[in-house]
Amino acid sequence: MVRGKTQMKRIENATSRQVTFSKRRNGLLKKAFELSVLCDAEVALIIFSPRGKLYEFSNCSMNKTIDRYQNRTKEIMCTNNQGLEDVQLEKEFDSFTMTKKLQHLEVCKRKLMGDSLDLCSMEELQQLERQIERSLTKIRSRKYQLLKEEITKLKEEEKMLLEENAALLKKVGSEWKHQDEAMDVETQLFIGPSDRRGGSGFLCRYLHNQPT
Protein backbone atom coordinates (compact mmCIF):
# COMPACT_ATOMS: atom_id res chain seq x y z
CA MET A 1 0.00 0.00 0.00
CA VAL A 2 1.40 3.39 -1.02
CA ARG A 3 1.82 5.87 1.81
CA GLY A 4 0.31 9.29 1.29
CA LYS A 5 2.45 12.39 1.38
CA THR A 6 2.45 14.00 4.83
CA GLN A 7 1.31 17.59 4.85
CA MET A 8 3.73 20.00 6.54
CA LYS A 9 1.38 21.37 9.16
CA ARG A 10 0.69 20.80 12.86
CA ILE A 11 -0.88 17.43 13.62
CA GLU A 12 -4.12 18.13 15.46
CA ASN A 13 -4.55 14.70 17.07
CA ALA A 14 -2.42 14.59 20.25
CA THR A 15 -1.74 10.85 20.09
CA SER A 16 -0.68 10.96 16.44
CA ARG A 17 1.44 14.01 17.15
CA GLN A 18 3.29 12.22 19.99
CA VAL A 19 3.87 9.09 17.89
CA THR A 20 5.19 11.17 14.98
CA PHE A 21 7.48 13.10 17.34
CA SER A 22 8.99 9.92 18.72
CA LYS A 23 9.63 8.45 15.29
CA ARG A 24 11.05 11.63 13.77
CA ARG A 25 13.17 12.32 16.90
CA ASN A 26 14.79 8.91 16.76
CA GLY A 27 15.36 9.28 13.02
CA LEU A 28 16.95 12.71 13.52
CA LEU A 29 19.26 11.44 16.28
CA LYS A 30 20.26 8.53 14.07
CA LYS A 31 21.06 10.85 11.15
CA ALA A 32 23.14 13.11 13.42
CA PHE A 33 25.16 10.10 14.61
CA GLU A 34 25.71 8.84 11.05
CA LEU A 35 26.80 12.32 9.92
CA SER A 36 29.38 12.57 12.70
CA VAL A 37 30.82 9.12 11.96
CA LEU A 38 30.75 9.08 8.17
CA CYS A 39 31.89 12.67 7.62
CA ASP A 40 33.99 13.24 10.75
CA ALA A 41 31.87 16.30 11.52
CA GLU A 42 31.39 17.93 14.89
CA VAL A 43 27.66 17.55 15.51
CA ALA A 44 25.55 18.81 18.39
CA LEU A 45 21.79 18.27 18.41
CA ILE A 46 19.34 19.65 20.99
CA ILE A 47 15.64 18.77 20.99
CA PHE A 48 12.90 19.88 23.38
CA SER A 49 9.67 17.94 23.26
CA PRO A 50 6.28 19.72 23.40
CA ARG A 51 6.26 18.89 27.12
CA GLY A 52 9.70 20.41 27.67
CA LYS A 53 11.70 17.17 27.85
CA LEU A 54 15.29 17.48 26.63
CA TYR A 55 16.91 15.17 24.06
CA GLU A 56 20.45 15.81 22.89
CA PHE A 57 23.32 14.28 20.96
CA SER A 58 26.92 15.36 20.62
CA ASN A 59 29.95 13.46 19.39
CA CYS A 60 32.09 15.90 21.37
CA SER A 61 31.42 17.94 24.47
CA MET A 62 28.12 19.78 24.12
CA ASN A 63 29.48 22.82 25.97
CA LYS A 64 32.58 22.86 23.80
CA THR A 65 30.50 22.76 20.64
CA ILE A 66 28.22 25.52 21.91
CA ASP A 67 31.23 27.72 22.79
CA ARG A 68 32.68 27.12 19.36
CA TYR A 69 29.35 28.08 17.79
CA GLN A 70 29.13 31.31 19.77
CA ASN A 71 32.71 32.29 18.95
CA ARG A 72 32.14 31.57 15.28
CA THR A 73 28.94 33.60 15.32
CA LYS A 74 30.80 36.57 16.80
CA GLU A 75 33.50 36.28 14.12
CA ILE A 76 30.87 36.26 11.39
CA MET A 77 29.16 39.29 12.89
CA CYS A 78 32.46 41.17 13.10
CA THR A 79 33.31 40.23 9.53
CA ASN A 80 29.90 41.42 8.34
CA ASN A 81 30.24 44.66 10.27
CA GLN A 82 33.70 45.19 8.85
CA GLY A 83 32.32 44.52 5.40
CA LEU A 84 29.57 47.07 5.95
CA GLU A 85 32.14 49.60 7.16
CA ASP A 86 34.31 48.94 4.10
CA VAL A 87 31.32 49.43 1.84
CA GLN A 88 30.42 52.67 3.62
CA LEU A 89 34.00 53.94 3.34
CA GLU A 90 34.07 53.03 -0.34
CA LYS A 91 30.85 54.93 -0.93
CA GLU A 92 32.17 57.95 0.92
CA PHE A 93 35.40 57.81 -1.09
CA ASP A 94 33.47 57.56 -4.36
CA SER A 95 31.31 60.50 -3.32
CA PHE A 96 34.38 62.56 -2.41
CA THR A 97 36.08 61.66 -5.68
CA MET A 98 32.98 62.57 -7.68
CA THR A 99 32.72 65.91 -5.87
CA LYS A 100 36.36 66.67 -6.69
CA LYS A 101 35.81 65.78 -10.35
CA LEU A 102 32.76 68.03 -10.56
CA GLN A 103 34.69 70.91 -9.00
CA HIS A 104 37.56 70.39 -11.44
CA LEU A 105 35.17 70.33 -14.40
CA GLU A 106 33.49 73.52 -13.17
CA VAL A 107 36.87 75.27 -12.96
CA CYS A 108 37.80 74.09 -16.46
CA LYS A 109 34.46 75.30 -17.77
CA ARG A 110 34.98 78.78 -16.32
CA LYS A 111 38.47 78.95 -17.80
CA LEU A 112 37.19 77.93 -21.23
CA MET A 113 34.57 80.69 -20.95
CA GLY A 114 37.37 83.20 -20.27
CA ASP A 115 36.81 83.51 -16.52
CA SER A 116 39.17 82.83 -13.60
CA LEU A 117 42.29 83.25 -15.76
CA ASP A 118 44.18 85.51 -13.35
CA LEU A 119 45.92 82.65 -11.56
CA CYS A 120 46.71 80.65 -14.71
CA SER A 121 50.33 80.26 -15.75
CA MET A 122 51.59 80.67 -19.30
CA GLU A 123 51.64 76.90 -19.78
CA GLU A 124 48.04 76.56 -18.60
CA LEU A 125 46.96 79.37 -20.93
CA GLN A 126 48.70 77.67 -23.85
CA GLN A 127 46.96 74.39 -23.00
CA LEU A 128 43.60 76.19 -22.91
CA GLU A 129 44.36 77.78 -26.26
CA ARG A 130 45.22 74.43 -27.84
CA GLN A 131 42.09 72.88 -26.37
CA ILE A 132 39.92 75.68 -27.75
CA GLU A 133 41.55 75.34 -31.19
CA ARG A 134 40.85 71.60 -31.20
CA SER A 135 37.26 72.27 -30.19
CA LEU A 136 36.87 74.87 -32.96
CA THR A 137 38.29 72.41 -35.49
CA LYS A 138 35.72 69.80 -34.48
CA ILE A 139 32.92 72.40 -34.54
CA ARG A 140 33.86 73.60 -38.04
CA SER A 141 34.13 70.03 -39.28
CA ARG A 142 30.67 69.26 -37.97
CA LYS A 143 29.29 72.50 -39.45
CA TYR A 144 30.74 71.72 -42.90
CA GLN A 145 29.33 68.22 -42.72
CA LEU A 146 25.86 69.58 -41.97
CA LEU A 147 26.17 72.15 -44.80
CA LYS A 148 27.25 69.43 -47.21
CA GLU A 149 24.29 67.27 -46.22
CA GLU A 150 21.94 70.26 -46.64
CA ILE A 151 23.37 71.05 -50.10
CA THR A 152 22.96 67.42 -51.17
CA LYS A 153 19.37 67.48 -49.96
CA LEU A 154 18.64 70.72 -51.84
CA LYS A 155 20.16 69.31 -55.04
CA GLU A 156 17.95 66.25 -54.78
CA GLU A 157 14.91 68.47 -54.28
CA GLU A 158 15.97 70.61 -57.27
CA LYS A 159 16.31 67.51 -59.43
CA MET A 160 12.83 66.36 -58.42
CA LEU A 161 11.37 69.80 -59.19
CA LEU A 162 13.06 69.89 -62.61
CA GLU A 163 11.68 66.46 -63.44
CA GLU A 164 8.19 67.55 -62.36
CA ASN A 165 8.53 70.76 -64.40
CA ALA A 166 9.62 68.84 -67.49
CA ALA A 167 6.66 66.49 -67.10
CA LEU A 168 4.28 69.45 -66.77
CA LEU A 169 5.77 71.16 -69.85
CA LYS A 170 5.40 67.96 -71.83
CA LYS A 171 1.79 67.63 -70.74
CA VAL A 172 1.02 71.30 -71.56
CA GLY A 173 2.73 71.01 -74.98
CA SER A 174 0.61 67.97 -75.81
CA GLU A 175 -2.55 69.85 -74.86
CA TRP A 176 -1.57 72.89 -76.98
CA LYS A 177 -0.89 70.59 -79.93
CA HIS A 178 -4.39 69.14 -79.73
CA GLN A 179 -5.84 72.65 -79.51
CA ASP A 180 -3.91 73.79 -82.64
CA GLU A 181 -5.15 70.77 -84.60
CA ALA A 182 -8.71 71.57 -83.55
CA MET A 183 -8.30 75.21 -84.66
CA ASP A 184 -6.99 74.10 -88.07
CA VAL A 185 -10.08 71.99 -88.63
CA GLU A 186 -12.37 74.88 -87.69
CA THR A 187 -10.51 77.27 -90.03
CA GLN A 188 -10.91 74.96 -93.02
CA LEU A 189 -14.67 74.75 -92.46
CA PHE A 190 -15.09 78.50 -91.92
CA ILE A 191 -17.46 80.32 -94.26
CA GLY A 192 -16.62 84.02 -94.55
CA PRO A 193 -19.17 86.81 -94.07
CA SER A 194 -21.25 88.06 -96.98
CA ASP A 195 -20.10 91.21 -98.79
CA ARG A 196 -21.87 94.55 -98.50
CA ARG A 197 -23.64 94.10 -101.86
CA GLY A 198 -25.46 91.10 -100.59
CA GLY A 199 -23.08 88.54 -102.08
CA SER A 200 -22.89 85.07 -100.68
CA GLY A 201 -19.24 85.20 -99.60
CA PHE A 202 -16.02 83.78 -100.80
CA LEU A 203 -17.13 80.17 -100.80
CA CYS A 204 -20.29 81.00 -102.74
CA ARG A 205 -18.30 82.85 -105.41
CA TYR A 206 -15.89 79.98 -105.63
CA LEU A 207 -18.70 77.49 -106.13
CA HIS A 208 -20.37 79.81 -108.72
CA ASN A 209 -17.26 80.03 -110.85
CA GLN A 210 -16.78 76.26 -110.99
CA PRO A 211 -17.96 74.58 -114.24
CA THR A 212 -21.15 72.62 -114.04
Side-chain angles (χ1 to χ4, degrees):
M1 181 177 179
V2 180
R3 294 176 57 187
K5 185 177 180 181
T6 303
Q7 295 183 359
M8 289 294 104
K9 66 178 184 179
R10 182 176 181 272
I11 300 174
E12 298 297 334
N13 185 274
T15 303
S16 300
R17 186 166 61 247
Q18 182 62 36
V19 172
T20 302
F21 172 77
S22 299
K23 292 181 179 179
R24 297 295 178 101
R25 179 201 63 206
N26 294 334
L28 184 58
L29 293 171
K30 181 181 178 182
K31 291 293 183 182
F33 170 74
E34 292 176 351
L35 181 64
S36 64
V37 174
L38 295 175
C39 302
D40 195 21
E42 185 176 349
V43 179
L45 175 63
I46 299 174
I47 302 173
F48 285 97
S49 70
R51 297 178 181 180
K53 189 175 181 179
L54 173 64
Y55 301 90
E56 63 179 35
F57 167 81
S58 176
N59 61 332
C60 298
S61 171
M62 178 65 73
N63 292 331
K64 179 181 176 182
T65 303
I66 292 175
D67 291 339
R68 182 179 179 183
Y69 167 77
Q70 292 177 344
N71 293 332
R72 181 57 180 165
T73 302
K74 291 179 181 179
E75 292 176 0
I76 294 174
M77 291 179 63
C78 292
T79 302
N80 292 337
N81 292 334
Q82 184 64 39
L84 292 175
E85 291 177 359
D86 293 341
V87 171
Q88 185 65 27
L89 289 174
E90 185 176 357
K91 289 182 178 180
E92 292 177 357
F93 178 76
D94 292 340
S95 178
F96 177 77
T97 304
M98 185 61 65
T99 303
K100 284 293 184 181
K101 287 182 179 179
L102 291 175
Q103 292 176 353
H104 177 70
L105 291 174
E106 186 65 26
V107 172
C108 292
K109 178 183 176 182
R110 290 199 298 267
K111 289 181 180 180
L112 290 173
M113 296 297 293
D115 299 329
S116 304
L117 299 177
D118 297 337
L119 300 178
C120 292
S121 63
M122 180 62 69
E123 183 179 358
E124 290 177 342
L125 292 174
Q126 290 176 350
Q127 291 178 355
L128 286 173
E129 184 179 9
R130 289 192 294 268
Q131 186 175 357
I132 292 173
E133 289 176 353
R134 289 194 297 268
S135 299
L136 287 174
T137 301
K138 293 180 180 180
I139 292 171
R140 293 191 183 99
S141 176
R142 178 57 180 168
K143 184 180 73 173
Y144 293 148
Q145 181 182 357
L146 291 176
L147 289 174
K148 185 177 179 181
E149 293 176 355
E150 187 67 20
I151 291 172
T152 303
K153 182 179 178 180
L154 291 174
K155 286 183 177 180
E156 292 177 353
E157 292 179 354
E158 180 185 13
K159 182 180 178 181
M160 292 176 60
L161 291 174
L162 290 174
E163 291 176 353
E164 292 178 358
N165 190 28
L168 289 173
L169 290 175
K170 183 177 179 181
K171 182 178 180 181
V172 171
S174 177
E175 292 179 354
W176 276 105
K177 182 178 179 181
H178 290 308
Q179 290 180 3
D180 292 340
E181 292 177 353
M183 290 177 65
D184 291 340
V185 173
E186 291 176 358
T187 303
Q188 293 176 3
L189 296 178
F190 177 75
I191 299 176
S194 60
D195 55 13
R196 294 181 180 179
R197 294 174 296 177
S200 57
F202 175 78
L203 184 58
C204 294
R205 291 196 299 272
Y206 175 78
L207 294 175
H208 178 75
N209 293 328
Q210 293 299 318
T212 57

